[in-house]
Amino acid sequence: MKPHLTLLVVDDEASVRNFMKTALESADFRVLAACDGQEGLEVFAANRGEIRAVVLDLTMPRMDGWEVLARLRAIDPDLPV
């Protein structure tokens, strides 16, 4: 059994978020999902040691993807996003 890598998907559109989650899980990834940038940062902070990469929408309400990206880079400059 190969290890499950954990990814974070951040997208405000439920259909996109659900599609990404299903597709990535079928490829044997563990997927955490967030509905906007603020929630994405909260999920990342709570699971920082497990998340290996982030799939990030750039246009979202509350906090856009560019701001989320900047904050993630401040925490972990080498995180694949």
Side-chain angles (χ1 to χ4, degrees):
M1 182 175 188
K2 64 182 179 180
H4 295 278
L5 295 177
T6 301
L7 305 179
L8 172 60
V9 173
V10 184
D11 198 300
D12 61 313
E13 292 185 46
S15 61
V16 173
R17 198 171 53 248
N18 293 334
F19 172 80
M20 292 295 297
K21 186 172 181 0
T22 300
L24 292 168
E25 285 175 343
S26 72
D28 217 19
F29 288 98
R30 177 174 173 249
V31 179
L32 303 175
C35 66
D36 61 34
Q38 184 61 46
E39 184 181 15
L41 291 173
E42 292 166 6
V43 171
F44 182 79
N47 300 277
R48 183 175 175 190
E50 300 172 47
I51 296 171
R52 297 293 174 245
V54 177
V55 178
L56 179 62
D57 182 10
L58 294 177
T59 56
M60 295 181 288
R62 260 180 42 156
M63 182 184 301
D64 70 22
W66 293 109
E67 186 176 347
V68 176
L69 177 62
R71 291 183 185 202
L72 289 172
R73 289 280 184 246
I75 297 167
D76 184 351
D78 298 322
L79 178 70
V81 179

